[in-house]
Amino acid sequence: MKQAIHISKARAMLDSGATVDLKVCRRNGHILELRQCRSLRYDFMSGTRRVKILASQQIRTVRDCLIVEINGQEVFL
């Protein structure tokens, strides 16, 4: 069984600036896997976060409430 952590702990991990692996639910329901990414900015009003994928230098915007997994640990609300 996988370990599970609360969304607040996942946010703290992202806010620390550490490099993490994420799984995020997309709009169409598919799971997007982001490897070796780092959080750049968090917008409290919209609940979104900008993350940078280090390998490709691509910047993505994800919603915190749609994070399914971080570093192999399930995230619950």
Side-chain angles (χ1 to χ4, degrees), residues 55-67:
S56 65
Q57 302 297 312
Q58 183 180 22
I59 296 176
R60 291 273 192 146
T61 302
V62 297
R63 290 191 176 275
D64 275 3
C65 62
L66 296 178
I67 295 174

Side-chain angles (χ1 to χ4, degrees), residues 27-69:
R27 181 181 297 182
N28 60 6
H30 293 113
I31 300 295
L32 177 66
E33 194 168 333
L34 305 173
R35 298 221 177 251
Q36 299 296 314
C37 61
R38 185 171 290 159
S39 177
L40 299 176
R41 183 177 178 184
Y42 175 65
D43 183 13
F44 178 77
M45 295 301 286
S46 65
T48 59
R49 178 179 304 273
R50 293 178 58 136
V51 294
K52 183 175 189 178
I53 303 168
L54 299 179
S56 65
Q57 302 297 312
Q58 183 180 22
I59 296 176
R60 291 273 192 146
T61 302
V62 297
R63 290 191 176 275
D64 275 3
C65 62
L66 296 178
I67 295 174
V68 177
E69 192 175 297

